[in-house]
Every structure is written in C-alpha cells, then in structure tokens.
Amino acid sequence: MWKLSKNFAQAVIATRELKLRYLWIDSLCIIQDLPSDWNKEAATMHKVYTTQEGNLILVPQDDVESGLWFGDVEGSAWNTRGWTMQERSLSTRSLHFCKNKFYFECRSCRLSEEGEPLPSLPQFELWPRHQDSSLVLQSAPASTNSSQKQLYDRWTGTVVRYCRRYLTKDFDKLLAIKSVAAEMSPRINDTYLAFAGMWKKNLHFDLLWRALRDLSKPEKYRAPSWSWASLDGPLNWANDVLNLHRNHPALERLSFDI
C-alpha cells in the first residue's frame, strides 16, 4: 500500500475501518489509455454505483472550507465536474471528506459528523430506489404513462444540470452521463439513443432544448447537430412548447425516422 498515492492509501484505510472487503478506484480499475476498456466499463458503471455499500468522496483540499453543507459539498470543485454527477446521483450512500469535517448523504438524510441540522432547501437530486420515493423506478412492464413522463422529465432535468458542469476531455460528454441512462433504461419502455443522448419515443420533446447563452463547439465531431451533446455550455428545455403540446391533445406527432 505504501506505493499508492496518499489519497488512495487513505481510501484503503477508510475501507478497512468500515469493515468492507473491496474498494473500487476508477483510475486503477479502468485502463486509462485504452478506449475499449473505458467503453466497456462505462457501460456497467451504474452497477458499481447502485450496488456498492458506499462512495468515498475526497473534496479537493484547495477548496474554501465554509463549515456548512452548501459550501463544503454543493459548492465544492468536485461537485462541478461532469463525471461526478452520475457518481453522486446513483450511489447508494456517500461520505464526503472535506478539509475539516465530513458529511454523510443517502436517500433519506444528510448529516455532518457534528450532527447539526442541515437546511431542507432544494438540493442535489439522487435517483430514487425505494417505495418511499416520490418517483419509484419500476420495471418497464409496470411503468405507467405518468411514471414514464416523470422519468423523461427527470432525464431532461439531469441533462440541464449536467451541462453546467465541466469535463477535462470534451469527448466524454455522452460517456459521463451514460450510467444515468443505463439505470433508467430497464425501467422505461423506450430505446436510448446513445449517440445523441436522447430517448427514441420522447425525441420530439428531447429536440426542444435551447441554449441559455452562446455555446461552444468541440473541435471534433461528438454528436449530431440536433443533439444537446453536440455543443458545450448551459441550456434548458422550451417548457412553453412542451406545455402547449400537453395542454392540447389535438397536437399529435405523426411520424419520424432516425
């Protein structure tokens, strides 16, 4: 273990103290310079997140320590990275190791080591799993139109928040959100268009994204021009048009082909 970096060594120690047998570290468990291994592991990362006992998050030490949840966790540099969004939203539970304090987060509570109450304001959304959730992820055959709509809305909301984050390698745009789609796929009667980041049966809605300001274009092709993944920068969905369709049943999508 002495050959490991300080962060990795401390992760090993924490894992042992928690009486856990296995530890997954992306940069060690995935061959970094081999695209085929990246693509293979990226396709199953949602299983790593959803079946793990917990996620150990080391908040960068150069972050300003506020002693408060929103400053230490929500406002951390770690929480602005593209890859960390699916890691946090899909994990069973997370321990955030900040500079002078650590925090615990799961689907039922958020606590600090000091036990002070944390504000109940809108916070980062974790993908639901259990019957107490407002959005139960059912298997596809059991899904209703209402639950499907909720899942589609959850997806577009996830994309909006994701596009505000940054990626070191811009070609990771679709790969770094793939686990969320993989988690959603078995629970919705639809096909995920992995090359565009959209859902086939909801494509007429998914196409209604719009830029909030000028977006930048990657140097190399990444996705079709009609996909939100083709550009970089903040965006949202044209809810006024979406509501027009939902409030007027006479408006009907006739057909399209990809």
Short mmCIF file of all heavy atoms in Angstrom, two decimals, residues 212-246:
data_model
loop_
_atom_site.label_atom_id
_atom_site.label_comp_id
_atom_site.label_asym_id
_atom_site.label_seq_id
_atom_site.Cartn_x
_atom_site.Cartn_y
_atom_site.Cartn_z
N LEU A 212 -28.87 28.78 -23.32
CA LEU A 212 -29.11 29.93 -22.45
C LEU A 212 -28.18 31.09 -22.80
O LEU A 212 -28.42 32.23 -22.45
CB LEU A 212 -28.92 29.52 -20.98
CG LEU A 212 -29.92 28.49 -20.46
CD1 LEU A 212 -29.64 28.17 -19.00
CD2 LEU A 212 -31.35 29.00 -20.61
N ARG A 213 -27.10 30.77 -23.46
CA ARG A 213 -26.17 31.77 -23.99
C ARG A 213 -25.38 31.10 -25.11
O ARG A 213 -25.67 29.95 -25.47
CB ARG A 213 -25.23 32.29 -22.89
CG ARG A 213 -24.43 31.22 -22.15
CD ARG A 213 -23.47 31.86 -21.17
NE ARG A 213 -22.83 30.93 -20.27
CZ ARG A 213 -21.80 30.15 -20.59
NH1 ARG A 213 -21.30 30.21 -21.82
NH2 ARG A 213 -21.26 29.34 -19.71
N ASP A 214 -24.43 31.81 -25.69
CA ASP A 214 -23.66 31.22 -26.78
C ASP A 214 -22.95 29.96 -26.30
O ASP A 214 -22.28 29.96 -25.26
CB ASP A 214 -22.62 32.23 -27.29
CG ASP A 214 -23.27 33.39 -28.02
OD1 ASP A 214 -24.43 33.24 -28.43
OD2 ASP A 214 -22.63 34.44 -28.16
N LEU A 215 -23.11 28.90 -27.07
CA LEU A 215 -22.48 27.63 -26.74
C LEU A 215 -21.23 27.44 -27.60
O LEU A 215 -21.14 27.97 -28.71
CB LEU A 215 -23.44 26.47 -26.98
CG LEU A 215 -24.76 26.51 -26.20
CD1 LEU A 215 -25.59 25.27 -26.50
CD2 LEU A 215 -24.52 26.62 -24.70
N SER A 216 -20.29 26.69 -27.08
CA SER A 216 -19.06 26.43 -27.84
C SER A 216 -19.16 25.06 -28.50
O SER A 216 -19.83 24.15 -28.01
CB SER A 216 -17.84 26.48 -26.92
OG SER A 216 -17.95 25.52 -25.88
N LYS A 217 -18.46 24.93 -29.61
CA LYS A 217 -18.48 23.70 -30.39
C LYS A 217 -17.16 22.96 -30.22
O LYS A 217 -16.09 23.58 -30.32
CB LYS A 217 -18.72 24.02 -31.86
CG LYS A 217 -18.95 22.80 -32.74
CD LYS A 217 -19.28 23.23 -34.16
CE LYS A 217 -19.54 22.03 -35.05
NZ LYS A 217 -19.87 22.45 -36.44
N PRO A 218 -17.19 21.67 -29.92
CA PRO A 218 -15.93 20.91 -29.77
C PRO A 218 -15.17 20.85 -31.09
O PRO A 218 -15.75 20.98 -32.17
CB PRO A 218 -16.40 19.53 -29.31
CG PRO A 218 -17.80 19.42 -29.84
CD PRO A 218 -18.37 20.80 -29.76
N GLU A 219 -13.88 20.63 -31.00
CA GLU A 219 -13.05 20.58 -32.20
C GLU A 219 -13.40 19.39 -33.08
O GLU A 219 -13.35 19.49 -34.30
CB GLU A 219 -11.57 20.53 -31.81
CG GLU A 219 -11.06 21.80 -31.14
CD GLU A 219 -9.58 21.73 -30.83
OE1 GLU A 219 -8.95 20.70 -31.18
OE2 GLU A 219 -9.05 22.70 -30.25
N LYS A 220 -13.74 18.27 -32.46
CA LYS A 220 -14.06 17.07 -33.22
C LYS A 220 -15.54 16.72 -33.06
O LYS A 220 -16.18 17.05 -32.07
CB LYS A 220 -13.20 15.88 -32.75
CG LYS A 220 -11.71 16.08 -33.01
CD LYS A 220 -10.93 14.85 -32.57
CE LYS A 220 -9.44 15.00 -32.84
NZ LYS A 220 -8.67 13.80 -32.42
N TYR A 221 -16.09 16.03 -34.06
CA TYR A 221 -17.48 15.61 -34.02
C TYR A 221 -17.75 14.75 -32.78
O TYR A 221 -16.98 13.86 -32.44
CB TYR A 221 -17.82 14.80 -35.27
CG TYR A 221 -19.21 14.19 -35.24
CD1 TYR A 221 -20.31 14.91 -35.68
CD2 TYR A 221 -19.41 12.89 -34.76
CE1 TYR A 221 -21.59 14.36 -35.65
CE2 TYR A 221 -20.68 12.33 -34.73
CZ TYR A 221 -21.77 13.07 -35.18
OH TYR A 221 -23.03 12.52 -35.13
N ARG A 222 -18.88 15.03 -32.13
CA ARG A 222 -19.22 14.30 -30.92
C ARG A 222 -20.65 13.75 -30.95
O ARG A 222 -20.93 12.69 -30.39
CB ARG A 222 -19.04 15.23 -29.71
CG ARG A 222 -19.14 14.56 -28.37
CD ARG A 222 -18.78 15.54 -27.27
NE ARG A 222 -19.65 16.70 -27.24
CZ ARG A 222 -19.33 17.85 -26.65
NH1 ARG A 222 -18.15 18.00 -26.08
NH2 ARG A 222 -20.18 18.86 -26.66
N ALA A 223 -21.54 14.50 -31.57
CA ALA A 223 -22.94 14.10 -31.63
C ALA A 223 -23.61 14.86 -32.77
O ALA A 223 -23.08 15.87 -33.25
CB ALA A 223 -23.64 14.40 -30.30
N PRO A 224 -24.79 14.41 -33.24
CA PRO A 224 -25.49 15.12 -34.31
C PRO A 224 -25.79 16.57 -33.90
O PRO A 224 -25.95 16.87 -32.72
CB PRO A 224 -26.79 14.32 -34.47
CG PRO A 224 -26.51 12.99 -33.88
CD PRO A 224 -25.52 13.20 -32.79
N SER A 225 -25.88 17.44 -34.87
CA SER A 225 -26.09 18.87 -34.59
C SER A 225 -27.40 19.14 -33.86
O SER A 225 -27.55 20.14 -33.18
CB SER A 225 -26.06 19.67 -35.90
OG SER A 225 -27.08 19.22 -36.79
N TRP A 226 -28.39 18.22 -33.98
CA TRP A 226 -29.67 18.41 -33.32
C TRP A 226 -29.68 17.90 -31.88
O TRP A 226 -30.68 18.01 -31.17
CB TRP A 226 -30.80 17.73 -34.10
CG TRP A 226 -30.46 16.39 -34.66
CD1 TRP A 226 -30.00 16.12 -35.92
CD2 TRP A 226 -30.57 15.11 -34.00
NE1 TRP A 226 -29.82 14.76 -36.09
CE2 TRP A 226 -30.15 14.12 -34.94
CE3 TRP A 226 -30.97 14.71 -32.73
CZ2 TRP A 226 -30.14 12.76 -34.62
CZ3 TRP A 226 -30.96 13.37 -32.41
CH2 TRP A 226 -30.55 12.41 -33.34
N SER A 227 -28.54 17.37 -31.43
CA SER A 227 -28.43 16.87 -30.06
C SER A 227 -27.81 17.92 -29.14
O SER A 227 -26.91 18.66 -29.54
CB SER A 227 -27.56 15.61 -30.04
OG SER A 227 -27.17 15.28 -28.72
N TRP A 228 -28.28 17.96 -27.90
CA TRP A 228 -27.70 18.86 -26.89
C TRP A 228 -26.22 18.54 -26.67
O TRP A 228 -25.45 19.40 -26.27
CB TRP A 228 -28.46 18.72 -25.57
CG TRP A 228 -28.48 17.31 -25.02
CD1 TRP A 228 -29.44 16.37 -25.22
CD2 TRP A 228 -27.46 16.67 -24.22
NE1 TRP A 228 -29.10 15.18 -24.60
CE2 TRP A 228 -27.90 15.34 -23.98
CE3 TRP A 228 -26.25 17.10 -23.69
CZ2 TRP A 228 -27.14 14.44 -23.22
CZ3 TRP A 228 -25.50 16.20 -22.94
CH2 TRP A 228 -25.95 14.89 -22.71
N ALA A 229 -25.82 17.29 -26.95
CA ALA A 229 -24.44 16.87 -26.70
C ALA A 229 -23.47 17.37 -27.77
O ALA A 229 -22.26 17.16 -27.65
CB ALA A 229 -24.37 15.35 -26.60
N SER A 230 -23.98 18.01 -28.81
CA SER A 230 -23.11 18.49 -29.88
C SER A 230 -22.39 19.78 -29.50
O SER A 230 -21.42 20.17 -30.17
CB SER A 230 -23.92 18.71 -31.16
OG SER A 230 -24.87 19.76 -30.98
N LEU A 231 -22.85 20.45 -28.43
CA LEU A 231 -22.28 21.73 -28.03
C LEU A 231 -21.98 21.72 -26.53
O LEU A 231 -22.45 20.85 -25.79
CB LEU A 231 -23.26 22.87 -28.35
CG LEU A 231 -23.63 23.04 -29.84
CD1 LEU A 231 -24.76 24.04 -29.99
CD2 LEU A 231 -22.42 23.45 -30.66
N ASP A 232 -21.22 22.71 -26.08
CA ASP A 232 -20.87 22.83 -24.66
C ASP A 232 -21.40 24.14 -24.09
O ASP A 232 -21.27 25.20 -24.73
CB ASP A 232 -19.34 22.79 -24.49
CG ASP A 232 -18.77 21.43 -24.82
OD1 ASP A 232 -19.37 20.42 -24.42
OD2 ASP A 232 -17.72 21.38 -25.50
N GLY A 233 -21.98 24.07 -22.91
CA GLY A 233 -22.48 25.26 -22.25
C GLY A 233 -23.86 25.03 -21.67
O GLY A 233 -24.49 23.98 -21.92
N PRO A 234 -24.39 25.99 -20.90
CA PRO A 234 -25.69 25.82 -20.24
C PRO A 234 -26.86 25.88 -21.22
O PRO A 234 -26.84 26.65 -22.18
CB PRO A 234 -25.73 27.01 -19.26
CG PRO A 234 -24.84 28.04 -19.87
CD PRO A 234 -23.75 27.28 -20.55
N LEU A 235 -27.85 25.04 -20.98
CA LEU A 235 -29.04 25.00 -21.82
C LEU A 235 -30.24 24.59 -20.98
O LEU A 235 -30.09 24.21 -19.81
CB LEU A 235 -28.84 24.04 -22.99
CG LEU A 235 -28.37 22.60 -22.68
CD1 LEU A 235 -29.53 21.69 -22.28
CD2 LEU A 235 -27.64 22.00 -23.86
N ASN A 236 -31.41 24.68 -21.55
CA ASN A 236 -32.61 24.14 -20.90
C ASN A 236 -33.59 23.70 -21.97
O ASN A 236 -33.30 23.72 -23.15
CB ASN A 236 -33.22 25.16 -19.92
CG ASN A 236 -33.77 26.39 -20.63
OD1 ASN A 236 -33.82 26.46 -21.87
ND2 ASN A 236 -34.17 27.39 -19.86
N TRP A 237 -34.79 23.30 -21.52
CA TRP A 237 -35.81 22.85 -22.46
C TRP A 237 -36.90 23.89 -22.59
O TRP A 237 -37.22 24.58 -21.61
CB TRP A 237 -36.39 21.51 -22.02
CG TRP A 237 -35.81 20.37 -22.78
CD1 TRP A 237 -36.42 19.67 -23.78
CD2 TRP A 237 -34.51 19.80 -22.65
NE1 TRP A 237 -35.57 18.71 -24.28
CE2 TRP A 237 -34.39 18.77 -23.60
CE3 TRP A 237 -33.41 20.07 -21.82
CZ2 TRP A 237 -33.24 18.01 -23.75
CZ3 TRP A 237 -32.27 19.31 -21.97
CH2 TRP A 237 -32.19 18.30 -22.92
N ALA A 238 -37.46 24.01 -23.77
CA ALA A 238 -38.50 25.01 -24.05
C ALA A 238 -39.83 24.54 -23.44
O ALA A 238 -40.67 23.96 -24.12
CB ALA A 238 -38.64 25.21 -25.55
N ASN A 239 -40.00 24.80 -22.14
CA ASN A 239 -41.18 24.30 -21.44
C ASN A 239 -42.48 24.88 -21.97
O ASN A 239 -43.54 24.26 -21.89
CB ASN A 239 -41.06 24.60 -19.93
CG ASN A 239 -40.02 23.73 -19.27
OD1 ASN A 239 -39.88 22.56 -19.61
ND2 ASN A 239 -39.27 24.28 -18.34
N ASP A 240 -42.42 26.10 -22.52
CA ASP A 240 -43.64 26.70 -23.07
C ASP A 240 -44.17 25.88 -24.24
O ASP A 240 -45.37 25.65 -24.38
CB ASP A 240 -43.39 28.15 -23.50
CG ASP A 240 -42.16 28.30 -24.38
OD1 ASP A 240 -41.35 27.35 -24.42
OD2 ASP A 240 -42.00 29.36 -25.01
N VAL A 241 -43.25 25.35 -25.06
CA VAL A 241 -43.66 24.50 -26.18
C VAL A 241 -44.12 23.13 -25.67
O VAL A 241 -45.09 22.56 -26.15
CB VAL A 241 -42.51 24.33 -27.19
CG1 VAL A 241 -42.94 23.46 -28.37
CG2 VAL A 241 -42.04 25.69 -27.69
N LEU A 242 -43.41 22.60 -24.68
CA LEU A 242 -43.80 21.31 -24.11
C LEU A 242 -45.21 21.38 -23.53
O LEU A 242 -46.04 20.51 -23.74
CB LEU A 242 -42.81 20.89 -23.01
CG LEU A 242 -41.36 20.64 -23.43
CD1 LEU A 242 -40.55 20.21 -22.22
CD2 LEU A 242 -41.28 19.58 -24.51
N ASN A 243 -45.49 22.46 -22.79
CA ASN A 243 -46.80 22.61 -22.17
C ASN A 243 -47.89 22.80 -23.22
O ASN A 243 -49.03 22.36 -23.04
CB ASN A 243 -46.79 23.80 -21.21
CG ASN A 243 -45.94 23.52 -19.98
OD1 ASN A 243 -45.78 22.38 -19.58
ND2 ASN A 243 -45.37 24.56 -19.40
N LEU A 244 -47.54 23.45 -24.34
CA LEU A 244 -48.51 23.63 -25.42
C LEU A 244 -48.97 22.27 -25.93
O LEU A 244 -50.15 22.03 -26.15
CB LEU A 244 -47.88 24.45 -26.56
CG LEU A 244 -48.77 24.69 -27.79
CD1 LEU A 244 -49.96 25.57 -27.41
CD2 LEU A 244 -47.97 25.33 -28.92
N HIS A 245 -48.02 21.36 -26.11
CA HIS A 245 -48.36 20.02 -26.59
C HIS A 245 -49.21 19.28 -25.57
O HIS A 245 -50.22 18.64 -25.90
CB HIS A 245 -47.08 19.24 -26.89
CG HIS A 245 -47.33 17.85 -27.41
ND1 HIS A 245 -47.72 16.81 -26.60
CD2 HIS A 245 -47.26 17.34 -28.67
CE1 HIS A 245 -47.87 15.72 -27.32
NE2 HIS A 245 -47.58 16.01 -28.58
N ARG A 246 -48.84 19.37 -24.29
CA ARG A 246 -49.53 18.60 -23.26
C ARG A 246 -50.93 19.15 -22.99
O ARG A 246 -51.83 18.41 -22.61
CB ARG A 246 -48.69 18.62 -21.98
CG ARG A 246 -47.43 17.76 -22.09
CD ARG A 246 -46.43 18.08 -21.01
NE ARG A 246 -45.22 17.26 -21.19
CZ ARG A 246 -44.05 17.55 -20.67
NH1 ARG A 246 -43.90 18.64 -19.93
NH2 ARG A 246 -43.00 16.77 -20.89
#
